């Protein structure tokens, strides 16, 4: 850049783009990159950086939708530990979190790592429970990872590998696919930057094929998606320059006083100049709108290309098979994005569809995506070692087995989890008396137990130190009564009253005994006897309402002399 420069096309590396963007901002020279997909390269931090390809932010959104579509809850991220890899995986973590998914383990590979170092990282990743691997790397390191994973039997049945678009770029640019390479990536899913089948694309592909046939060298490559975006980048700058000159712009430069202040040394900063028309050219670049080889070429207000979309590719046998598409417009679909753009957006889960994929191990059955880990910590589950009510919890000292209704409920709940959780039951108590449940709950506070399972009552002081599940056994209204052996015979109706009660009842009858005139209060003697027996019968054998009705009925049948009572 010692010579006067008005625009930069490139670089092809996100790491290099971070460095050059600082220089481009200082010199006010638009930097147009068709390969730097790092999502942190934004116009907010680097105003003169123009990305002419889709950001990895959209690619990671498509990966997250894939994981969610197949029902996996956690993944292992294998990535190159540089700006490109770290920022891409960070974006993936954000997208997964939006869907309540997560990265279980991040397996970072340092740039320039040896095969033994890569193998060590993969072995550690294989010990985790997740069997869904997201590989975000460069072409050289990515192919080495697949080769090592194949040797470690990590590409066999039960595993899932999703590679970002670096893999499709390698395969699309290869004139002949290597059989050894294909054997290591069977069943792998990969993404490809989606490009429309435009007339310009067909013409360019035909012309490129002609050049490849005429080239007798050994470095012949086919045209991949990145090549198409590079082609459109050149045309994008050409359209912008044409608009720049039409609006009265001119090419002029002025010295940068801040660079001249640090002039000297081998860097030769004093040879760099600021492009006076840089801001105007940048505005014209952002307003470019034409039909390119990849489709419509236009930037949105955030500086991203419109209509981000990816092809979902399944590697099978000796070739590639497209099983669907992802677009920021409608998510996953078996229809091309161009078709969906003509319809209202619909990203609901019911409309997310893909063709069946063939997974590692040559199976069409969706892998479960997890196994029990080899190095995971077990949950310590405390259970009360009771001496009574073994129906709820019981512990066998001889076999060490824990059983009971509470244990069955816990095991059934654990089996419903979509991911593995290892645990072991630890008895609490001496086995000779029922333990204190308050002390059992306190074992969670002191980190002796991770959880407690048992017939633990939910009371206020316990809820202050531990969280409880919803009750799964409710006793309702309980009445405590003594258990006595009762005999059933013809005189059983006398049992509700004690001897003292029957004595008081007899005294009551004596007091209310009829007078010498043959009646009491003017009522017949027979009526008094019948009324007394009726009251006893109603109290013993009828409900309160029925008792009242029976008493009233008895009174009306015998019709007492109400007139005489009033006369007296």
């Amino acid at each position: 850049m010692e010579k006067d420069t008005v625009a930069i096309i490139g670089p092809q590396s996100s790491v290099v783009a971070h460095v050059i963007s600082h220089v481009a901002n200082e010199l006010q020279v638009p930097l147009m990159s068709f390969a730097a997909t790092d999502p942190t390269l934004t116009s907010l931090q680097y105003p003169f950086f123009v990305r002419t390809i889709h950001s990895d932010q959209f690619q990671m959104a498509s990966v997250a939708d894939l994981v969610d579509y197949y029902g996996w809850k956690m993944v292992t991220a294998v990535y190159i530990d540089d700006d490109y890899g770290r920022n891409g995986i960070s974006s993936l973590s954000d997208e997964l979190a939006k869907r309540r998914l997560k990265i279980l383990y991040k397996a970072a590979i340092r740039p320039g790592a040896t095969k033994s170092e890569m193998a060590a990282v993969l072995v550690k990743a294989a010990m985790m429970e997740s069997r869904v691997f997201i590989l975000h790397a460069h072409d050289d390191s990515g192919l080495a990872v697949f080769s090592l994973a194949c040797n470690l039997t990590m590409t066999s049945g039960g595993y899932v590998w999703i590679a970002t678009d670096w893999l499709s770029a390698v395969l699309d640019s290869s004139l002949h696919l290597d059989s050894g390479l294909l054997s290591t990536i069977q069943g792998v899913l990969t993404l490809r930057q989606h490009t429309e089948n435009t007339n310009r694309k067909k013409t360019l592909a035909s012309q490129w094929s002609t050049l490849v046939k005429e080239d007798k060298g050994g470095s012949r490559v086919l045209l991949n998606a990145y090549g198409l975006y590079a082609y459109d980048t050149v045309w994008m700058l050409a359209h912008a320059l044409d608009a720049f000159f039409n609006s009265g712009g001119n090419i002029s430069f002025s010295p940068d006083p801040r660079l001249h202040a640090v002039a000297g040394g081998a860097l030769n900063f004093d040879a760099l100049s600021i492009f006076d028309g840089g801001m105007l050219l940048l505005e014209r670049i952002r307003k470019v709108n034409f039909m390119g080889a990849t489709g419509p070429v236009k930037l949105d207000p955030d500086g991203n290309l419109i209509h981000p979309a990816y092809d979902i590719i399944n590697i099978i046998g000796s070739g590639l098979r497209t099983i669907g598409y992802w677009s920021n417009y409608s998510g996953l679909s078996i229809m091309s994005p161009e078709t969906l753009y003509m319809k209202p957006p619909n990203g609901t889960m019911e409309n997310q569809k893909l063709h069946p994929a063939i997974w590692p191990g040559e199976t069409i059955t969706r892998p479960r995506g997890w196994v029990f880990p080899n190095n995971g910590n077990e949950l310590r589950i405390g259970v009360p070692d009771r001496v009574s009510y073994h129906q709820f919890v019981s512990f066998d000292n001889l076999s060490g087995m824990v059983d009971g209704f509470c244990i069955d409920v816990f095991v059934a709940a654990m089996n419903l989890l979509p991911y593995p959780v290892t645990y072991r039951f630890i008895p609490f108590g001496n086995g000779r008396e029922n333990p204190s449940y308050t002390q059992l709950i306190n074992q969670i506070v002191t980190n002796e137990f991770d959880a407690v399972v048992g017939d633990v009552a939910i009371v206020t002081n316990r809820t202050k130190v531990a969280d409880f599940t919803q009750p799964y056994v409710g006793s309702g209204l309980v009445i405590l009564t003594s258990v006595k052996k009762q005999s059933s015979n013809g005189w059983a109706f006398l049992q509700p009253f004690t001897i003292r009660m029957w004595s008081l009842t007899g005294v009551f009858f004596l007091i209310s005994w009829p007078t010498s005139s043959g009646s009491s209060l003017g009522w017949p003697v027979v009526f008094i006897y019948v009324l007394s027996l009726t009251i006893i019968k109603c109290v013993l054998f009828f409900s309160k309402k029925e008792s009242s009705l029976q008493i009233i009925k008895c009174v009306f049948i015998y019709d007492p002399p109400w007139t005489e009572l009033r006369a007296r």
Side-chain angles (χ1 to χ4, degrees):
M1 296 183 64
E2 294 181 3
K3 297 181 180 181
D4 295 336
T5 304
V6 299
I8 304 170
I9 295 180
Q12 300 184 44
S13 168
S14 296
V15 178
V16 179
H18 274 279
V19 179
I20 299 181
S21 292
H22 290 285
V23 181
N25 288 344
E26 183 66 26
L27 301 181
Q28 297 185 15
V29 175
L31 173 63
M32 307 175 66
S33 177
F34 57 87
T37 57
D38 183 350
T40 62
L41 287 167
T42 63
S43 58
L44 294 176
Q45 185 177 3
Y46 306 104
F48 283 85
F49 176 80
V50 180
R51 194 195 324 270
T52 59
I53 195 171
H54 299 302
S55 168
D56 276 342
Q57 176 185 355
F58 301 108
Q59 181 170 208
M60 296 309 168
S62 66
V63 172
D65 277 347
L66 271 176
V67 175
D68 191 27
Y69 173 78
Y70 287 113
W72 301 312
K73 300 300 181 183
M74 53 189 175
V75 301
T76 297
V78 183
Y79 61 98
I80 195 73
D81 195 12
D82 58 11
D83 291 337
Y84 163 75
R86 286 191 302 269
N87 295 331
I89 295 303
S90 177
S91 180
L92 174 63
S93 180
D94 294 339
E95 294 295 333
L96 290 173
K98 294 177 182 178
R99 297 156 179 80
R100 297 186 177 182
L101 313 174
K102 69 175 183 177
I103 297 178
L104 178 68
Y105 179 68
K106 294 182 179 180
I109 300 174
R110 72 173 184 86
T114 62
K115 289 188 176 181
S116 59
E117 291 175 331
M118 291 184 182
V121 172
L122 290 177
V123 168
K124 189 173 182 180
M127 297 177 67
M128 305 298 172
E129 55 261 44
S130 175
R131 284 294 178 264
V132 181
F133 290 85
I134 312 298
L135 181 55
H136 186 54
H138 304 298
D139 51 358
D140 52 351
S141 57
L143 295 178
V145 167
F146 273 125
S147 178
L148 292 171
C150 184
N151 294 335
L152 295 171
T153 66
M154 293 177 62
T155 57
S156 57
Y159 283 87
V160 176
W161 284 89
I162 302 176
T164 51
D165 62 347
W166 65 268
L167 180 57
S168 63
V170 172
L171 298 177
D172 291 340
S173 60
S174 300
L175 190 60
H176 301 288
L177 296 179
D178 181 71
S179 58
L181 169 62
L182 290 174
S183 64
T184 63
I185 56 177
Q186 289 297 304
V188 172
L189 296 184
T190 186
L191 304 176
R192 177 197 290 141
Q193 298 265 358
H194 179 74
T195 57
E196 294 186 19
N197 291 321
T198 62
N199 293 329
R200 181 169 290 189
K201 175 182 176 180
K202 296 176 182 178
T203 302
L204 178 60
S206 177
Q207 293 174 349
W208 187 268
S209 299
T210 303
L211 292 175
V212 170
K213 293 177 181 179
E214 294 176 354
D215 185 9
K216 302 301 181 182
S219 59
R220 296 182 297 173
V221 294
L222 299 178
L223 199 62
N224 58 26
Y226 284 91
L228 296 174
Y229 280 104
Y231 177 84
D232 281 349
T233 302
V234 175
W235 276 102
M236 187 177 186
L237 179 58
H239 283 282
L241 285 172
D242 184 58
F244 172 79
F245 289 118
N246 290 337
S247 60
N250 55 44
I251 305 297
S252 63
F253 298 88
S254 59
D256 189 343
R258 293 192 297 180
L259 293 179
H260 281 271
V262 293
L267 295 179
N268 197 18
F269 282 133
D270 54 350
L272 301 178
S273 301
I274 296 177
F275 176 35
D276 297 329
M279 187 59 69
L280 178 59
L281 179 59
L282 179 63
E283 292 177 0
R284 294 298 175 264
I285 291 175
R286 295 191 180 280
K287 293 181 179 180
V288 167
N289 185 4
F290 69 99
M291 180 61 70
T294 59
V297 179
K298 182 182 179 182
L299 299 178
D300 64 15
D302 295 328
N304 297 313
L305 281 177
I306 63 172
H307 298 166
Y310 291 85
D311 301 339
I312 312 298
I313 300 171
N314 187 201
I315 302 175
I316 307 170
S318 60
L320 312 178
R321 173 173 170 260
T322 301
I323 63 173
Y325 305 91
W326 179 92
S327 67
N328 195 40
Y329 186 74
S330 295
L332 299 172
S333 175
I334 57 177
M335 294 187 293
S336 65
E338 296 79 35
T339 305
L340 297 175
Y341 294 147
M342 296 183 293
K343 301 179 180 180
N346 191 347
T348 59
M349 288 300 299
E350 293 77 10
N351 290 276
Q352 306 298 293
K353 295 180 181 179
L354 292 175
H355 292 296
I358 297 180
W359 305 100
E362 299 182 355
T363 177
I364 60 174
T365 303
R366 179 188 65 85
R368 184 173 58 177
W370 58 268
V371 294
F372 289 101
N374 296 325
N375 62 342
N377 295 326
E378 293 181 324
L379 286 180
R380 299 162 299 175
I381 309 298
V383 295
D385 189 3
R386 299 183 55 91
V387 296
S388 60
Y389 295 105
H390 288 171
Q391 296 88 346
F392 291 103
V393 179
S394 64
F395 175 73
D396 191 343
N397 292 317
L398 298 179
S399 63
M401 298 295 294
V402 182
D403 198 4
F405 176 74
C406 298
I407 304 301
D408 294 340
V409 173
F410 172 77
V411 173
M414 297 299 287
N415 291 335
L416 292 176
L417 294 177
Y419 48 84
V421 177
T422 57
Y423 56 88
R424 59 188 176 95
F425 294 114
I426 303 176
F428 178 79
N430 54 23
R432 298 185 297 273
E433 58 183 359
N434 292 333
S436 169
Y437 278 41
T438 301
Q439 295 179 5
L440 175 60
I441 297 299
N442 289 333
Q443 298 297 308
I444 301 178
V445 181
T446 59
N447 202 29
E448 295 294 329
F449 296 146
D450 297 312
V452 168
V453 175
D455 53 335
V456 183
I458 304 176
V459 294
T460 303
N461 62 333
R462 295 174 184 172
T463 58
K464 295 179 180 179
V465 298
D467 294 327
F468 285 80
T469 65
Q470 289 295 324
Y472 52 86
V473 174
S475 58
L477 181 62
V478 177
I479 299 177
L480 296 179
T481 181
S482 59
V483 179
K484 295 181 180 179
K485 186 177 181 180
Q486 302 291 342
S487 59
S488 179
N489 50 47
W491 299 97
F493 69 92
L494 299 176
Q495 294 180 2
F497 289 166
T498 61
I499 297 177
R500 180 179 296 181
M501 187 62 188
W502 283 117
S503 300
L504 291 174
T505 304
V507 171
F508 170 76
F509 286 144
L510 292 176
I511 293 175
S512 61
W513 193 261
T515 60
S516 58
S517 61
S519 66
S520 177
L521 298 178
W523 289 1
V525 176
V526 177
F527 172 75
I528 295 176
Y529 291 151
V530 173
L531 179 62
S532 300
L533 294 176
T534 303
I535 292 174
I536 296 175
K537 176 183 176 183
C538 292
V539 170
L540 293 179
F541 300 105
F542 295 97
S543 64
K544 185 176 180 179
K545 182 177 180 180
E546 292 175 342
S547 300
S548 301
L549 293 175
Q550 291 292 333
I551 295 172
I552 294 172
K553 179 180 178 181
C554 179
V555 170
F556 277 96
I557 289 176
Y558 287 92
D559 189 19
W562 301 107
T563 304
E564 293 185 17
L565 288 175
R566 283 195 302 268
R568 294 177 186 180

